[in-house]
Amino acid sequence: MKKSPDQLRKEILRLTKEYSDAVHRSLSPEPQDFIPGQTTIPYASRVFDADEVGAAVGSSLDFWLTLGPEGEALENELSEFLGTKRCLLTNSGSSANLLAVTALTSHKLPAEKRLLPGDEIITVAAGFPTTVAPIIQNRAVPVFVDSDPLTLNARCDQLEAAYRPRKTKAVMMAHTLGNPFDLHAVTEFCNQHGLWLIEDNCDALGSEYSPPHGSPALTGSFGDMSTQSFYPAHHMTMGEGGCVNIPRDMRWKPLVESFRDWGRDCWCASGKDNTCGKRFGWQLGELPEGYDHKYIYSHLGYNLKPLDLQAAIGRAQLNKLPAFIRARRENWQYLRAALADLEGFFDFQLPTHAKIWNGKCGMRNEECPPSSTFSWDSSGASCDPSWFGFMLAVKPAAPFTRTELARRLDAAKIGNRPLFGGNLTRQPALARIKGEIPAAFRVIGDLPGADAIMNRALFIGVYPGLTRPMMDYMVETIRESVRTR
Ligand SMILES: Cc1ncc(COP(=O)(O)O)c(C=O)c1O
């Protein structure tokens, strides 16, 4: 008897689960699967099971392809998770950064707030290149403040020196390796000078920040806009993907959406017509009256949308996100406690506003809340990072270098990375631009903190797929590197 489409779908999804369970066991690797020195321990990796594979197959069977029902659902679920008004999916975190900065150039913004060529955006020197590239791509000027080598975040005491009346329009920086930057200082600075704030939250999904006189909230919900990456190394994945979050002011939505979707003036969802009710009733630019609104372009835009299939995978990942965040925090604490006696050789990352790590007090985040794990500065602010990685900076007096340590870890098949591009102003792309156009960017001071991070720091993984035997081997290898010097 011929099977109905519904029966076929069920069968396909049942077989998909069977296949996935047999082939991908990445959510719960067995301890015997890990062979020290032979099994690679990546610095980050996707963690998934049959839910994600089933979601991808189900979406393929629907064959909607472009952003559609799964995308809409994920946008709603993400804004609910983050406590923001709206989320707009993109095909990467870099695209999200490009869109957030480009939205600042819209002619629809008040003239004095609009980002014009030659205007400045304050950012931080050590980090990922696509936090900064969109500033230059939009013909604006990044102004680099230094990074603190312990928090890896901006030195906020340099913000005033970076500010230029009428030239500075925004601050854009990342919560580095999941560590919230000083949102209290930065939001006060932005409010005082009437600047936009874009939080690059790509590495910090789930991080919490408690301002001195406010309630704790997730990073990504403080600025005018914020961004996420859903590349596999990140807290959750869609394969490739990202989003722009709009925490409060929905006037950003049509701007970000327009730049994301070819620059169009129309805001109909994919597959929909005449949402505005006057599809043939507009006269804009020098176009004839009644020209089809679907083909009217008010901005010079891009097409930076993901597929609906990616969103389906993202939804399955979002269900697991709270457990992922918990595991990242627990893994960070485990490594921190296990390496505590190596403080003579390494500087370990500190959450912003923390002064010292107070020592091992239990491995589970609930048993060991950040309030008791760290001593905090006198600002009244604190934070609970949803860590992206575990940073070790080799002390200048240590008898080995960061590169030597990186080689040892590499030989032991332990994934490690520098803090992305290090001091970005020293990267060939920016050094060349500076040579060609000296005013292309400005630097506050000599950036010794960013150089220290570039020369001394590396990070290893805390991603949820790590097991205790893997972390014990990571710790033992680091110990051996220290001992055998
Ligand atoms: C801080 C930061 N911003 C932006 C990005 C770019 O994200 P994507 O790889 O999705 O383009 C990354 C990538 O890891 C990042 O670390």
Side-chain angles (χ1 to χ4, degrees), residues 92-95 97 128 130-131 174 200 202-203 229-231 234 241 420:
S92 73
S94 303
S95 298
N97 282 347
F128 198 79
T130 57
T131 311
D200 178 334
C202 286
D203 297 344
S229 165
F230 302 128
Y231 188 74
H234 292 251
F420 310 127

Side-chain angles (χ1 to χ4, degrees), residues 299-319:
H299 296 107
L300 288 177
Y302 306 92
N303 177 1
L304 302 175
K305 295 190 295 300
L307 301 177
D308 216 37
L309 180 147
Q310 291 166 275
I313 298 170
R315 290 186 73 198
Q317 287 269 289
L318 187 59
N319 288 334

Side-chain angles (χ1 to χ4, degrees), residues 24-339:
H24 311 293
R25 283 181 300 151
S26 57
L27 246 192
S28 48
E30 303 294 330
Q32 68 267 22
D33 290 347
F34 173 65
I35 306 168
Q38 285 186 35
T39 314
T40 298
I41 305 176
Y43 82 96
S45 181
R46 68 219 163 113
V47 173
F48 68 98
D49 61 15
D51 297 344
E52 284 80 356
V53 183
V57 170
S59 176
S60 304
L61 295 175
D62 294 340
F63 216 60
W64 182 271
L65 297 185
T66 58
L67 211 48
E70 295 288 347
E72 196 182 327
L74 180 58
E75 288 183 340
N76 290 334
E77 289 160 5
L78 278 167
S79 14
E80 198 175 319
F81 177 85
L82 276 166
T84 54
K85 276 254 170 69
R86 193 73 167 83
C87 158
L88 293 163
L89 289 173
T90 60
N91 59 5
S92 73
S94 303
S95 298
N97 282 347
L98 177 62
L99 286 170
V101 176
T102 309
L104 304 182
T105 68
S106 174
H107 59 279
K108 296 190 178 185
L109 292 174
E112 72 286 0
K113 301 277 281 179
R114 183 179 173 197
L115 183 74
L116 293 170
D119 281 346
E120 298 187 344
I121 296 186
I122 298 172
T123 188
V124 66
F128 198 79
T130 57
T131 311
V132 173
I135 303 173
I136 300 178
Q137 285 156 344
N138 275 293
R139 295 186 289 162
V141 176
V143 179
F144 292 99
V145 298
D146 200 8
S147 309
D148 178 297
L150 284 184
T151 64
L152 307 183
N153 282 323
R155 275 191 47 196
C156 291
D157 58 317
Q158 295 190 339
L159 290 175
E160 281 300 338
Y163 175 71
R164 273 193 183 164
R166 289 176 299 283
K167 274 283 171 206
T168 313
K169 292 288 168 63
V171 172
M172 174 164 188
M173 42 181 79
H175 300 294
T176 311
L177 289 191
N179 190 17
F181 57 75
D182 185 340
L183 279 157
H184 176 55
V186 173
T187 50
E188 283 217 326
F189 172 75
C190 288
N191 290 341
Q192 188 191 342
H193 296 295
L195 307 177
W196 305 120
L197 172 60
I198 301 173
E199 298 172 74
D200 178 334
N201 201 39
C202 286
D203 297 344
L205 186 56
S207 293
E208 202 173 276
Y209 185 84
S210 304
H213 308 294
S215 325
L218 294 183
T219 56
S221 65
F222 286 79
D224 295 285
M225 284 177 276
S226 67
T227 59
Q228 303 299 153
S229 165
F230 302 128
Y231 188 74
H234 292 251
H235 293 60
M236 58 169 260
T237 187
M238 296 166 47
E240 299 283 353
C243 69
V244 177
N245 305 305
I246 299 170
R248 289 172 299 278
D249 188 344
M250 284 294 275
R251 283 175 294 184
W252 290 111
K253 175 183 172 279
L255 306 185
V256 174
E257 219 165 33
S258 172
F259 282 111
R260 186 191 65 175
D261 304 354
W262 307 282
R264 67 185 184 157
D265 200 69
C266 159
W267 56 91
C268 287
S270 144
K272 296 247 161 55
D273 289 341
N274 208 19
T275 311
C276 65
K278 48 185 258 190
R279 177 173 169 194
F280 300 106
W282 294 88
Q283 194 286 306
L284 292 171
E286 296 176 11
L287 293 169
E289 182 156 6
Y291 197 78
D292 190 342
H293 193 218
K294 281 184 90 73
Y295 286 86
I296 295 181
Y297 304 95
S298 45
H299 296 107
L300 288 177
Y302 306 92
N303 177 1
L304 302 175
K305 295 190 295 300
L307 301 177
D308 216 37
L309 180 147
Q310 291 166 275
I313 298 170
R315 290 186 73 198
Q317 287 269 289
L318 187 59
N319 288 334
K320 301 185 169 102
L321 185 61
F324 287 169
I325 293 168
R326 236 180 356 260
R328 283 177 176 276
R329 287 180 171 141
E330 284 169 17
N331 291 347
W332 193 95
Q333 288 291 352
Y334 189 81
L335 292 171
R336 183 67 184 83
L339 293 167

